[in-house]
Amino acid sequence: MSEDGRTVRIIQGNEATVEGAIAAGCRFFAGYPITPASEIAELMSRRLPRVGGTFLQMEDEIASINAVIGATWGGAKACTASSGPGISLMQEGVGYAAETETPCVIINVMRGGPSTGQPTLSSQQDVYQARYGGHGDFEIIALAPSSAQEAYDLTIKAFNLAEEFRVPVYVLSDEIVGHTRERVVMGGKLEVLERVAPSKDGYKPFAAGPDGLLRGMPAFNDGYRLLVEGQHHDERGIRAGDDIDKSATLVQRLNDKVRQNIDRIVDIERIDLDDAEVAIVCYGSTARPAMEAVQTARSKGIKAGALRLRAIWPFPDAVLSELADHTKTLIVPEMNIGKLVLEVQRTAGGRATVVGLPRLGGALHTPEEIESAIIDAVKGGKAQ
Amino acid sequence: MSEDGRTVRIIQGNEATVEGAIAAGCRFFAGYPITPASEIAELMSRRLPRVGGTFLQMEDEIASINAVIGATWGGAKACTASSGPGISLMQEGVGYAAETETPCVIINVMRGGPSTGQPTLSSQQDVYQARYGGHGDFEIIALAPSSAQEAYDLTIKAFNLAEEFRVPVYVLSDEIVGHTRERVVMGGKLEVLERVAPSKDGYKPFAAGPDGLLRGMPAFNDGYRLLVEGQHHDERGIRAGDDIDKSATLVQRLNDKVRQNIDRIVDIERIDLDDAEVAIVCYGSTARPAMEAVQTARSKGIKAGALRLRAIWPFPDAVLSELADHTKTLIVPEMNIGKLVLEVQRTAGGRATVVGLPRLGGALHTPEEIESAIIDAVKGGKAQ
Amino acid sequence: MNRIAEQYLRQETLPMIFCPGCGDGTVLGAFLRAVDEMKISDQLALVGGIGCSGWMPVYVNADAIHTLHGRAIPVGIGLKVTRPERKVVVFTGDGDAIGIGGNHFIHAARRNVDLTVVMINNSIYGMTGGQMAPTTPSGATTQTSPYGNPEQPFDACRLAEAAGATYVARWTAGHPRQLVKAFKEAIDHPGFAFIEVVTQCPVQAGRYIKGGMDAPEFLADIRKSVVPVAQAERMTPEELAGKTRIGLLHRSQRPELTQQLAAIRGGEKR
Amino acid sequence: MNRIAEQYLRQETLPMIFCPGCGDGTVLGAFLRAVDEMKISDQLALVGGIGCSGWMPVYVNADAIHTLHGRAIPVGIGLKVTRPERKVVVFTGDGDAIGIGGNHFIHAARRNVDLTVVMINNSIYGMTGGQMAPTTPSGATTQTSPYGNPEQPFDACRLAEAAGATYVARWTAGHPRQLVKAFKEAIDHPGFAFIEVVTQCPVQAGRYIKGGMDAPEFLADIRKSVVPVAQAERMTPEELAGKTRIGLLHRSQRPELTQQLAAIRGGEKR
Amino acid sequence: MRKEVRIAGFGGQGVILAGVILAQAAGAVEGREVAQTQSYGPEARGGAARCDVVISDQRILYPKVRRADVLLAMSGQALAKFGQGLDVVTGKVVVDSTLITEIPEGLPPLYRLPATRLAEEEFKNRIVANMVMLGALARVDDTVAFESLKRAVAENVAPKFRDLNLAAMDRGYQAVEGPGLDSAAGPGKGQRS
Amino acid sequence: MRKEVRIAGFGGQGVILAGVILAQAAGAVEGREVAQTQSYGPEARGGAARCDVVISDQRILYPKVRRADVLLAMSGQALAKFGQGLDVVTGKVVVDSTLITEIPEGLPPLYRLPATRLAEEEFKNRIVANMVMLGALARVDDTVAFESLKRAVAENVAPKFRDLNLAAMDRGYQAVEGPGLDSAAGPGKGQRS
Amino acid sequence: MRGSFKVLIDDKWCKGCGLCLAECPKEVLIWSGRRNAKGYNLPAEDPAKACTGCQLCELICPDQAIRVEGEPQ
Amino acid sequence: MRGSFKVLIDDKWCKGCGLCLAECPKEVLIWSGRRNAKGYNLPAEDPAKACTGCQLCELICPDQAIRVEGEPQ
Ligand SMILES: Cc1ncc(C[n+]2csc(CCOP(=O)(O)OP(=O)(O)O)c2C)c(N)n1
Ligand SMILES: Cc1ncc(C[n+]2csc(CCOP(=O)(O)OP(=O)(O)O)c2C)c(N)n1
Ligand code: SF4
Ligand code: SF4
Ligand code: SF4
Ligand code: SF4
Ligand code: SF4
Ligand code: SF4
Ligand SMILES: [Mg+2]
Ligand SMILES: [Mg+2]
């Protein structure tokens, strides 16, 4: 441990995620083993009891997300972790968390799908599932780490955002981030949002402030006599699923509270964008060869840059739209069939050429592969 | 019954769905009750045994979709039906069906969400879930009926497409379509794709033709010695999840077989589009007030038209792109926060103004509301 | 409205959605009386599943969460382990508890988590309009068994015991006083306590299974079908045929989950 | 390779992914012998769950489907009811069958569907690397119970019986001849037949639970821990403590689902 | 011509069945386009019930009732809730005067009959009040022909209840009173041509 | 400077642990950037095992090994599979000559030591062959300092196995033979400055 | 344990299910002929019968609509 | 039931688990000292011992790598 209380360790992204969660105040974890996320549960089972927390291995992922919801209303910061198949099973529970404004964190260490797919190989195929997997209209927040360090940092951030926005927040890690051992600087002065108990005075648990957000987070048996309801409800939590106006108001707010406060969420790294003609839009582990490709291209005098999204949902429409205004070509490398590239296309609105660079099968793009896409773009070789 | 063997009945969309399924050869249904889809299970329980089929009420929706998968490999055309919460639970199973190229039909009678949401009121909130709800990259097909008649017609079509493409096909009905009693013409000469047993000669169950599609559909215990595998696999069905090339080949094909044959799937109704300046892009029950609004607008001399999507997935990019080229404004009314409008925006690529007309709360748009959006558009009142 | 209800119901949520003559209201009344006698309304964490029965907690003026269909128990576990002194009571239907939620049910029993789980057995899916449940008698007609139920029902109490529950009782909506006592015992019991309550559902089960019985007839029918455990012991198998035993069916002691977790947190090696 | 394996294994799928000394291979060998004696390889519909054990069907040269984790039983039901003469055999792990898949398991038993369900009980989640299972002994250390398992295990056979299974047997990987007989009985049994096989998992359970036992030691340890039912009847509770009964534990007759469905299709009112 | 009919009252009064019969009469018997919707599901239990029928000779696009042409009200709550939306000139309201005693202001022409009392007293079966109301509808408006309603009953009601229902319908046809009706109408009036 | 090391052999040989120790030596002890990856999961059981370590003084972007600078091969399969990718001039291969008898053509400079035999015979424990190989790595290449590897062992191996592992590592350092090595090297050579 | 008891039926909550009528061992409760705003039949005390205050009606009433008042004498 | 039996061990499939050695009641099987391509130790028949043909080794071998040949005399 260094003087400022920081320690450096060489650990896997999955372990960094666990340390980040605990540093963020997570004191409850319920999960179910699955490759390549199991280390998160395993390390939680070791660490949590030592900090006064609780680890539960549940009978399945459905029970896990629901236990997380119970624990959150019980007063704990809580999370679960899984991969594709397990995350699919959690969709109903995630929607419940969104509906009831239950802050919680879901870590998806992505592997190749669909179905059992590729248990031991990486992918970024679940980025849309995070947003659209559940039924009904609601917004979530999703962060995508590119390294073990970010697995640590963004997990802390995920817990903070969950508390601030009272939404489920995904950490969209992947097998590569999860299983690569790297240097991680931990501890020190961290920004951690502590849970604040709301005043009981005339308290309406689901009455939002002008920004659409609920203030604080109450717990059961602290005198609130809470009513938490998964049907649409009014500000007191009383069911209103057959009331068109109240239902519309609630659902609109559940979406707007994230959309309209997107500025508090957007998290991007800009690399050499000022004069870039070609920009790589990237996230997660794919961003690593992308950034290397940009370095190499620059060293060859090519005006390339990169926009790395650390927060992918809500999608930063405005940032991309602006980028499209100033860049000729946007290249979007992804370890999937081409998904966020659709968002980039939408926001670019025809004002820049958008090139998808999808990769299936589980192997990370090589920097060379991305570099050659950059060169193609500069040559005008590929078009939308 | 009329001379051509056709009968007319006044029935709910849910009943029309059941009749369509049975007409299409469905002989197995497994489901679990849920409002507003329960009538489908109830009617199946009455009808199927009478045509030699099997109805099972399972312990949950997960069991339902998996029993459907088993029954399909057992030799039956099969389907299940549910609504939001149940469909969320089926996501893993739907992905398995996609991975194993198991033809099956999933009927989602949409209600308001998220979560328990609005059990008795309608929505179109699950259109993205149909496409992106499961983990991993795969394509499904989704049809959206606007009336009881179409609930019948499109259910038949759904079964046919499932057989042709060997994919799960969604019928995205909704509470309004499902519960409105209307005239339905049934029977007569129907186009039904019968299941064809492939030749056993050198048969590789997962070897596709040049169009990416598998030929025919074998059944268990018919001498094939099949191996059906949810992990990525080769043409024989042997697991290959750790083989990057074989995995990439399979996933690419699972997507391409739908994408590249989209012309066989696209199903649209064009109303007064030839000279339209404003076009309503619509689907499902929302299309009804939309079409009425177009009629009224035309009667007032406004150059309005409508493009009604009966097949919403795969999204007909080319059709919309072309429409954007010839139309000033595209208006997209939806009973959700604004979802397919994003696809329209993407495909319009800035070449037409795209206006979302979302509606939450469970009430159908009125024709007047849509008409006034048309008038606004004509006046140039609203922009993207 | 009676005194207990006035004191313990969350008035702004009324009226209750239960149909006229539904047993759920009676069971809820008995629960309120137990709460009153135990003076524990501040310590309660009530959890409801989805189904008519799952609405019961919503009407009680205590901390309550109305969860997803079948998922009340895991939510209850999350509440319990985060503050073990909480009295977590789960209200659930036969479909909710042992239909879709069956896995959580048996696992909670196995872990012997200190929950009280009240299962309303109305032999049917009430809320969704009368489809068969895993408790529907064999041969009974319902909305999804028009030709008679081809399946056989669970004995929920037997299942609970085999899975590991340490307090198992069965009563009916016609035994409100016994229910008050059972609720008190179950809440005090340090482990997984299960109470099955056989209730009349005049609107769905009454219509589809019972050929249109109204609430008083239905309740009378239920009372006829049960025998107290003590009496059952003196009866021959022939006399017992078609009868359901009621009363305290099982009580035992096994390590309880939250205590085991506390030991782990305390650094004890188990 | 022995004659049976040569004849019945799907050669192109080999080698099997099982670790050296894993009991799964032995159980599979016994199954192949039963298939050989019964001459039913054409009628088989094999269903595997996800887990090491779930891979067993993949290696057999018969129609086989490798399903999702926990979902083998509903897939098996779909196969069974569409052609009732099919012999559907489900291979599943303890986690697969009574962990995530517990609900399907008890409901299939309740319905008494004519399936043969073979559950490999290795007391652990093998495939995912040694996490605790619902069968892990209380106090045992695993990758997710580093301070000792705070939970108590299921008795899968007891659960099956309470849920309604009509054939229930338990053997170990050290009883291949008895397994051959049990497979034949179970496949012939017209109803839900459950066989639990206690196996050595030297790589995960061996390492984490058993302090590093190798396969022969582990198997010897398992053999020491079991007693045949007949013998158990003659033993005192003290002698039986910590022992697991093996053999045919339960056999009964109740209406079977596919037959009930056939009756309905035939227009019979049940 | 598009016609919108709303039938409303309590759950348990057979409001839905009345609407279904009406839809069958117009759609199946008369071969016209119909769209029948209703307040739905367990949520409606014990509370209000509503059934809407839109009838037209053309394809019905918007399937919902915007402003009913005729309201059959079977509870005070229903009348209070739905009465106001009607066109005071062209609209019509039929009330069950057994259950509805207070009539709010501002309603269109009002027709009354003691449907529930007639059902209870003359048919010893409260549940046929809905058919009494349907009979009245045929009399006060030409939405569908009375004969079509009768055929719809014959085709959609269990045989053992058929005659009872038909008789109740007849009784409603006769008993309804209001603006422009002969006090004792014979069948034939209100027929659709 | 970016350095890529690949260690490969069978499952059960401790290939992963060797890579982890190497990563700890470079990252935790020497404070450099590292990225260690491995063939993973139950799928790898009984079959091939591989562990890759990338070491650099700058932020490591691409974390995977593209073309290893050093390959430690502990099985014939591993050598056959991974040997070909190396640069024949700058690359280095260290083989466990107990297990690898056939050496394919076209490899870069080759170093050998009978790691498994030394482990079995001298340390009575086959599993320390991985440490023997790591010791050899320190000798043939300056990827990390030998001292750093030793500290990494001290910090990451359970106390009761520590000395055994350190001794095995020393033995490998001494035993390895190949181009440009003194036959009996003392510690100190191969140190990173 | 006779006394002077009064059985108060709350019009607002009663759903006219009839369980109280069936439950009362003394047949104290009868249909009043009145209906509440939702149209439910309401029970009432039969003035000719004497309530024992056993509270069985109060306990069985699903809608908590009954309050038995009075003291055993 | 003595006879002339031969125990064939299939190098390709054997994983060297040792179960056959432990299982043989006659201790016929011993480690051969040979390894297969995957590095697994291979068992072999001890020429000094006589196999009874009981097939216990064949039955227990998880990898179906054993074939006991021969006829009971
Ligand atoms: C995932 C999911 N599936 C189905 C439903 C629909 N649903 C609501 S309640 C219910 C069953 C109610 O039956 P039971 O649990 O027995 O409770 P009851 O109403 O009989 O008290 C069902 C199937 C749902 N809400 N969620
Ligand atoms: C939905 C889902 N959750 C988790 C997993 C990961 N997973 C694969 S196998 C397995 C458990 C294996 O244990 P068991 O069923 O006991 O089989 P074994 O490997 O021990 O034979 C798990 C949790 C998965 N594939 N799918
Ligand atoms: S449907 Fe049955 S269980 Fe539900 S409230 Fe009505 S009577 Fe009660
Ligand atoms: S992990 Fe255990 S159960 Fe799985 S194959 Fe290895 S030894 Fe067998
Ligand atoms: S039991 Fe209660 S609700 Fe039922 S009739 Fe009597 S007072 Fe009314
Ligand atoms: S208190 Fe007892 S006696 Fe009096 S009315 Fe109620 S049930 Fe009858
Ligand atoms: S039992 Fe089989 S796999 Fe094991 S050592 Fe013997 S022959 Fe080899
Ligand atoms: S057949 Fe029997 S005696 Fe012969 S080697 Fe095998 S186990 Fe030993
Ligand atoms: Mg029920
Ligand atoms: Mg297991």
Side-chain angles (χ1 to χ4, degrees), chain E:
Chain E
M1 242 277 302
R2 180 183 174 112
K3 185 78 95 175
E4 301 186 349
V5 179
R6 169 163 290 167
I7 310 174
F10 296 131
Q13 286 179 318
V15 152
I16 310 295
L17 179 63
V20 169
I21 296 286
L22 175 58
Q24 294 289 351
V29 181
E30 300 190 355
R32 296 154 75 201
E33 296 292 331
V34 291
Q36 178 266 327
T37 54
Q38 64 205 48
S39 67
Y40 180 73
E43 302 291 326
R45 69 169 65 131
R50 175 187 49 74
C51 185
D52 291 347
V53 186
V54 177
I55 300 171
S56 174
D57 296 311
Q58 282 141 35
R59 178 178 180 189
I60 294 172
L61 290 169
Y62 188 61
K64 300 280 185 182
V65 162
R66 263 169 295 198
R67 174 188 279 221
D69 297 294
V70 185
L71 170 67
L72 305 188
M74 295 184 72
S75 78
Q77 286 182 356
L79 183 63
K81 190 162 173 200
F82 301 119
Q84 304 304 325
L86 278 62
D87 189 308
V88 284
V89 178
T90 63
K92 290 172 186 165
V93 178
V94 185
V95 300
D96 178 342
S97 56
T98 316
L99 304 173
I100 303 175
T101 43
E102 284 172 44
I103 309 286
E105 295 290 291
L107 291 182
L110 197 88
Y111 301 82
R112 329 171 174 243
L113 76 169
T116 299
R117 187 174 55 74
L118 291 174
E120 284 180 341
E121 291 179 1
E122 300 190 10
F123 300 100
K124 308 292 169 231
N125 198 334
R126 215 182 163 192
I127 192 67
V128 297
N130 58 349
M131 294 297 135
V132 179
M133 293 294 284
L134 263 191
L137 169 69
R139 176 86 178 288
V140 306
D141 194 77
D142 62 356
T143 308
V144 289
F146 193 31
E147 280 313 313
S148 306
L149 278 177
K150 287 184 173 174
R151 261 187 62 194
V153 166
E155 284 166 16
N156 290 281
V157 169
K160 59 176 171 174
F161 298 118
R162 198 170 289 161
D163 291 343
L164 176 68
N165 277 274
L166 288 171
M169 207 178 248
D170 265 333
R171 191 67 184 92
Y173 191 90
Q174 291 151 10
V176 64
E177 292 177 357
L181 298 183
D182 321 342
S183 59
K189 188 151 184 313
Q191 298 272 51
R192 225 180 121 263
S193 54

Side-chain angles (χ1 to χ4, degrees), chain A residues 41 46 74 90 113 125 127 190 207 213 230 237 244 272 277 280 290-291 302 305 321-322 364:
Chain A
R46 262 158 234 276
M90 289 185 198
Q125 297 177 342
V127 288
L190 298 169
L213 298 175
I244 289 170
D272 290 335
E277 287 172 12
I280 316 283
M291 292 187 291
I302 299 171
S321 176
E322 200 253 68
L364 193 57

Side-chain angles (χ1 to χ4, degrees), chain F:
Chain F
M1 242 278 299
R2 181 183 173 113
K3 184 79 94 174
E4 300 186 350
V5 179
R6 169 164 289 168
I7 311 174
F10 296 131
Q13 285 179 319
V15 153
I16 310 293
L17 179 63
V20 170
I21 296 285
L22 175 59
Q24 294 289 352
V29 181
E30 300 188 354
R32 295 153 77 199
E33 295 293 332
V34 292
Q36 177 265 324
T37 54
Q38 65 205 48
S39 66
Y40 180 73
E43 301 292 325
R45 69 169 63 133
R50 173 187 52 75
C51 186
D52 291 347
V53 186
V54 177
I55 300 171
S56 174
D57 296 311
Q58 282 141 33
R59 179 181 180 187
I60 294 173
L61 289 169
Y62 189 61
K64 300 279 186 183
V65 161
R66 263 170 294 199
R67 174 188 278 221
D69 296 294
V70 185
L71 170 67
L72 306 189
M74 294 183 71
S75 77
Q77 285 183 356
L79 183 63
K81 187 159 174 202
F82 301 119
Q84 305 305 327
L86 276 62
D87 189 306
V88 284
V89 177
T90 63
K92 290 171 185 165
V93 178
V94 185
V95 300
D96 178 342
S97 55
T98 315
L99 305 174
I100 303 175
T101 43
E102 283 171 46
I103 308 287
E105 296 289 291
L107 290 182
L110 197 89
Y111 300 82
R112 332 173 172 241
L113 75 171
T116 299
R117 188 174 56 70
L118 291 174
E120 283 179 342
E121 292 179 1
E122 299 189 11
F123 302 99
K124 308 291 171 232
N125 199 332
R126 216 182 163 193
I127 191 66
V128 297
N130 59 349
M131 294 297 135
V132 178
M133 293 294 283
L134 262 193
L137 169 70
R139 175 87 178 285
V140 307
D141 194 78
D142 61 357
T143 307
V144 288
F146 193 32
E147 280 313 313
S148 306
L149 277 176
K150 288 184 171 174
R151 262 187 60 195
V153 167
E155 284 167 16
N156 291 281
V157 169
K160 59 176 174 175
F161 297 119
R162 198 169 290 160
D163 291 343
L164 176 68
N165 277 275
L166 289 171
M169 206 177 248
D170 264 333
R171 191 67 183 91
Y173 190 91
Q174 290 152 10
V176 63
E177 291 175 0
L181 296 183
D182 319 345
S183 59
K189 188 152 184 312
Q191 298 273 51
R192 221 181 125 263
S193 56

Side-chain angles (χ1 to χ4, degrees), chain C residues 17-24 51-53 120 122 124-130 199-205, chain E residues 42 45:
Chain C
I17 58 158
F18 308 132
C19 307
C22 173
D24 290 9
C52 302
S53 38
I120 301 293
N122 58 1
I124 206 154
Y125 282 14
M127 174 62 89
T128 43
T199 60
Q200 73 280 15
C201 159
V203 168
Q204 304 297 355
Chain E
R45 69 169 65 131

Side-chain angles (χ1 to χ4, degrees), chain B residues 28 52-54 57-59 62 66-67 70-71 74 92 96 220-222 225-230 238-239, chain D residues 10 12 17 41-44 55 61-66 71 74-75 78-79 81 83 86 104 107 111 265:
Chain B
F28 180 88
T54 303
Q57 180 173 317
M58 299 301 288
E59 53 275 19
I62 299 176
N66 281 285
E92 194 197 14
Y96 182 88
F220 270 40
N221 305 105
D222 280 349
R225 310 233 162 195
L226 296 166
L227 177 52
V228 181
E229 173 62 64
I238 296 176
R239 84 182 170 100
Chain D
R10 197 189 289 265
E12 62 271 33
I17 58 158
S41 79
D42 285 340
Q43 292 140 268
L44 285 177
W55 281 98
N61 194 16
D63 287 305
I65 180 164
H66 195 190
R71 316 306 169 193
V75 171
L79 281 162
V81 300
R83 212 186 283 175
R86 273 189 189 120
H104 311 308
H107 280 271
R111 296 180 176 114
R265 265 193 299 267

Side-chain angles (χ1 to χ4, degrees), chain A residues 11 16 43 75 101 118 121 135 173 214 228 277 343 359 362:
Chain A
I11 51 177
L43 293 162
E101 303 184 69
Q118 303 189 273
L121 287 173
H135 65 281
S173 178
L214 306 185
V228 181
E277 287 172 12
E343 301 298 313
R359 204 177 206 301

Side-chain angles (χ1 to χ4, degrees), chain B residues 234-270:
Chain B
D234 65 15
E235 297 186 336
R236 299 166 299 176
I238 296 176
R239 84 182 170 100
D242 45 9
D243 183 313
I244 288 170
D245 294 332
K246 286 181 183 162
S247 291
T249 303
L250 174 65
V251 177
Q252 190 72 50
R253 185 174 64 74
L254 292 179
N255 287 274
D256 284 349
K257 73 174 179 177
V258 173
R259 294 177 172 205
Q260 299 193 340
N261 297 305
I262 184 168
D263 292 346
R264 303 197 213 162
I265 304 166
V266 169
D267 188 350
I268 49 189
E269 183 181 7
R270 290 169 189 275

